[in-house]
Amino acid sequence: MKELLLYIARSLVDHPDQVTVTEVENGDELTLELRVAPEDMGKVIGRQGRIAKEIRTVVRSYAQRTGVKASVDIVD
């Protein structure tokens, strides 16, 4: 899942070398923390959060297929 999120985020931003994903386990749930360059934050979030919502949907769908609960947090 980490690789999927990295691929999606790097394809959206202008500075793909500054994209990082950290995995945090909270009991039975996995949280993926996405960090991008400050000037790329708008490209990852999108208008009214539409792109961020779709990123979360894709990752959650992939997680369900593998039997894991996962969520994505976009961190400053």
Side-chain angles (χ1 to χ4, degrees), residues 13-61:
V13 299
D14 290 333
H15 305 286
D17 54 325
Q18 295 184 17
V19 175
T20 60
V21 175
T22 307
E23 294 179 336
V24 179
E25 291 192 34
N26 301 331
D28 63 340
E29 184 175 341
L30 178 66
T31 302
L32 300 168
E33 294 180 348
L34 175 64
R35 288 182 174 79
V36 297
E39 57 269 11
D40 289 331
M41 191 64 74
K43 292 181 181 182
V44 173
I45 295 173
R47 288 192 177 152
Q48 297 178 351
R50 289 182 185 157
I51 294 174
K53 182 179 176 183
E54 294 304 319
I55 290 171
R56 289 183 177 114
T57 302
V58 169
V59 171
R60 196 175 305 123
S61 174

